[in-house]
Each structure stands twice: as structure tokens, then as C-alpha cells.
Amino acid sequence: MSTLQTIETPDGPFTILADDEGRVMASGWTTDAATILERLHPTRRPTDIRPGETAAAEAAIAFYDGDVAAIDTVAVAQRGTPLQLRGWAALRAIAPGAPLTYTGFAAALGQPTAVRAAASICARNAPALFVPCHRVLRTDGTLGGFAWGLDVKRSLLAREAA
């Protein structure tokens, strides 16, 4: 049985979907469970979901309280291609306050010409915050996109730079 929890953050409500082992499957700045579920491939969407508490919520609260490394050890459950899995692991290795460009991220994956693939990896990242795709910027240094809005991305980056 999966657990769904929403907490309040300075960036708005943040909802976490965790599997029965407590690993974050999807998360984002919304109260809408359907929006969270849509971040997952249809074959991965759980059907048995209950409201409750998640261990990941404590890490998110600690992050917002100033411990930006609190999210680093939260277990996540992601399925994808080998490149996507490597990419999501590489996102977790980007230090807070030291964002990469999509070009730098592609290079970190060992595929410096795969900039579009790097952007796609970020776009398909379901456990937002815990797999910090917000730490990747356009090659010109501007924010680029973010599933949860540029205001949230800007806020997260500013929090981590402090």
C-alpha cells in the first residue's frame, strides 16, 4: 500500500507519494493526488493509496528549515532506461548551491553531446526535490523549465545558495 502525505512549505503545499517500503515514487508542489500520480508511467501508478505520514516528509521539512542536505539520503523508487537511471543518480550528486547547465549535466553523464537527453531526464523525474532536477539550468545560465513552476525552482536554488 502506498502512502500520500502533503506538508506545507514556504513554496506551497508539497505532496509525497511513497511506496510500501517508504521510498518516494513521486512528489511535487501540489495538493492534487492525480497530478502526483500523472508523474508516473501508467503501469507504475499504485491503486491502493492511503493518506499517512512518510519519512520523506521529515527530510523535506528539514530541507526547508535550512538543512539542504537532508534530502540526499531519502530513498526513491524510479524505473527507467539505463541512461535515465544514471541521470537520476547523477542529479543526486549535484551539490546544493552548485547547479549545472544541461551541457554540464550531459557531460557528467559521460555523453557531452546528449544535451536533449539530459533535459529529458530532468523532465521525467518524478520524485522532485529528492532527486534535485531543479539544480540543472539552461546552457546560458537561465532557469529553463521546471514541472512545478519557475518560482519554485528559483526559490529552491536561492535556498541552496544561502
Side-chain angles (χ1 to χ4, degrees), residues 23-41:
R23 300 174 301 175
V24 177
M25 299 174 70
S27 54
W29 289 265
T30 182
T31 58
D32 183 33
T35 300
I36 295 297
L37 289 170
E38 287 169 3
R39 299 293 298 162
L40 297 170
H41 188 276

Side-chain angles (χ1 to χ4, degrees), residues 17-98:
L17 176 66
D19 66 11
D20 58 355
E21 296 177 35
R23 300 174 301 175
V24 177
M25 299 174 70
S27 54
W29 289 265
T30 182
T31 58
D32 183 33
T35 300
I36 295 297
L37 289 170
E38 287 169 3
R39 299 293 298 162
L40 297 170
H41 188 276
T43 61
R44 298 233 24 248
R45 293 177 189 157
T47 55
D48 193 8
I49 302 171
R50 65 174 169 78
E53 294 186 9
T54 64
E58 292 177 27
I61 291 166
F63 173 88
Y64 276 102
D65 283 344
D67 180 4
V68 295
I71 59 172
D72 294 346
T73 58
V74 171
V76 297
Q78 291 177 289
R79 288 189 195 155
T81 67
L83 180 61
Q84 286 173 325
L85 293 172
R86 278 199 343 264
W88 293 324
L91 286 171
R92 296 193 91 179
I94 301 171

